[in-house]
Amino acid sequence: AKGFFSGTPVTYSRYDQPKFRDLQARLAAENTYDFIMFDHVHTTHAMELFPNAVRVVDTQNNDITMYKRWAENRPEPFSRLFGNLQASLCRRFLQRTLPKLDATFAVSQKEADEFGALANGINALAVPNGVDTDYFSFGTGEREPETLLFLGNMGWLPNADGCEFLLRDIMPEIQKRRPNVHLVLAGHEPRPNVMALAGPGVEVTGFVPDVRTYLHSATVFIVPLRIGAGTRLKILEAMAAGIPVVSTSVGCEGIAGEDGRHLLVRDDPKAFAEAVLDLIEHPEKRQKLIDAAHGLVSSTYEWRIITRRMVEEIDALLAARRAT
């Protein structure tokens, strides 16, 4: 209600909290800051408290795109109305907010271009997501045969929608040929519609203390997303952990992986199911994808590489401020 009446997207309005503003006001009064990074746009509400600092937002994803896809893919009239309204509110909020910042970090060049086109004065820079390849290393044990894994925050609407799409349109095609296939939906805070999917051959875990246990035991990692924006850390983690990936084009958007070389990309449910079955039945194809994908994340998406790039951008911003 607060977001609706203030014209603020609901995701951003939730984080406009008096205690958070008070904390920032106290910090601004007690200290002088050269640089401030806001994590997600919804933490920028009190950025005017730091007028002399270089101010940057790390966007994580383009919420306009996410809500538009929500409206396009959900069948309920209310969901379509909600998605279109939130997309419009996000656009207005970003057009007001991003030009006031010194830079906007986006997780892909595509999203950097989208942010830059919203309004004059937006300095949008692409700094990809990454993965810790030491932490998400290859497992040493045997993988469970015919086991599929979808991993993520199951309270997040795009993931919950992906679970419904998977069980309704993709899994029946897989089970026709492989009736013993086991699907694991792993992630915290599963919504009621995700919990309702549990049953024979389908495990909904809820919170798991270490996702690597599942990444090291499953046969194929699947990303059946129709809604979302940004890039999926889960795919980079799967590639680093040595499990082959089948994804929709939305699921792997912004990641420089090539279809057929680093992962398999399929949007049609039957084609998605066929790609999964092909990997289950052909270990040599799985290994080929695993080797190429691991090379990709090690050379391009390792956090040490990404962090170096981000620090270089921040140093350039600080140098430009000092020069003025």
Side-chain angles (χ1 to χ4, degrees):
K2 176 183 176 184
F4 180 80
F5 288 109
S6 66
T8 304
V10 62
T11 311
Y12 304 164
S13 181
R14 286 180 57 207
Y15 290 87
D16 186 12
Q17 300 294 335
K19 287 186 178 180
F20 189 38
R21 281 180 177 266
D22 291 344
L23 171 62
Q24 292 181 79
R26 178 171 60 80
L27 293 171
E30 294 174 353
N31 305 281
T32 299
Y33 295 95
D34 298 306
F35 175 80
I36 303 285
M37 178 178 283
F38 298 95
D39 190 38
H40 291 275
V41 178
H42 53 239
T43 64
T44 62
H45 293 288
M47 66 179 180
E48 71 279 357
L49 292 170
F50 308 96
N52 298 318
V54 171
R55 300 176 301 186
V56 170
V57 63
D58 193 3
T59 56
Q60 307 295 329
N61 59 63
N62 184 347
D63 289 329
I64 302 171
T65 302
M66 192 275 289
Y67 280 117
K68 285 173 66 176
R69 287 174 174 163
W70 180 258
E72 291 166 359
N73 285 282
R74 296 301 299 178
E76 310 90 355
F78 175 78
S79 291
R80 293 197 296 270
L81 178 64
F82 174 79
N84 285 322
L85 173 62
Q86 293 304 309
S88 177
L89 292 176
C90 285
R91 178 179 296 277
R92 294 182 206 169
F93 189 91
L94 294 173
Q95 287 173 331
R96 293 195 308 267
T97 302
L98 299 187
K100 300 175 184 177
L101 295 158
D102 293 276
T104 296
F105 286 162
V107 294
S108 70
Q109 188 58 53
K110 173 181 177 292
E111 293 204 347
D113 293 341
E114 291 170 352
F115 288 130
L118 286 174
N120 291 330
I122 296 176
N123 179 25
L125 306 170
V127 181
N129 274 322
V131 62
D132 183 342
T133 55
D134 293 331
Y135 184 81
F136 288 97
S137 58
F138 281 24
T140 57
E142 291 292 324
R143 292 189 175 273
E144 297 291 334
E146 300 186 30
T147 299
L148 311 179
L149 173 64
F150 178 38
L151 178 68
N153 176 357
M154 294 304 172
W156 179 233
L157 291 174
N159 285 336
D161 174 80
C163 289
E164 290 183 334
F165 172 57
L166 173 64
L167 267 295
R168 183 184 65 241
D169 297 334
I170 297 173
M171 285 303 295
E173 297 295 325
I174 295 174
Q175 291 166 330
K176 285 179 185 177
R177 201 155 89 206
R178 292 279 178 172
N180 294 324
V181 74
H182 181 65
L183 171 65
V184 180
L185 304 176
H188 68 292
E189 298 180 352
R191 300 173 71 85
N193 60 325
V194 176
M195 292 296 298
L197 300 174
V202 180
E203 177 185 358
V204 179
T205 67
F207 173 79
V208 296
D210 191 341
V211 298
R212 293 174 298 177
T213 302
Y214 294 87
L215 289 169
H216 291 158
S217 62
T219 314
V220 181
F221 190 82
I222 53 177
V223 189
L225 293 181
R226 305 183 300 171
I227 300 166
T231 57
R232 251 54 60 193
L233 285 165
K234 59 171 70 77
I235 288 183
L236 301 178
E237 292 167 355
M239 288 177 166
I243 178 172
V245 177
V246 180
S247 175
T248 59
S249 56
V250 169
C252 63
E253 188 175 53
I255 295 175
E258 297 177 23
D259 178 26
R261 181 182 177 192
H262 303 105
L263 74 170
L264 300 182
V265 184
R266 304 289 186 272
D267 289 320
D268 176 75
K270 289 187 178 181
F272 194 109
E274 187 59 40
V276 172
L277 289 164
D278 194 32
L279 291 180
I280 289 175
E281 296 168 357
H282 297 95
E284 72 283 0
K285 292 185 178 181
R286 296 201 301 270
Q287 194 60 49
K288 187 177 179 180
L289 289 179
I290 289 168
D291 292 342
H294 192 266
L296 174 68
V297 295
S298 298
S299 64
T300 306
Y301 291 104
E302 216 293 326
W303 271 128
R304 285 182 286 265
I305 298 171
I306 302 302
T307 303
R308 192 178 312 123
R309 188 180 312 177
M310 181 175 281
V311 169
E312 288 172 356
E313 298 286 4
I314 293 169
D315 284 343
L317 291 166
L318 288 167
R321 174 62 61 87
R322 287 192 294 266
T324 59

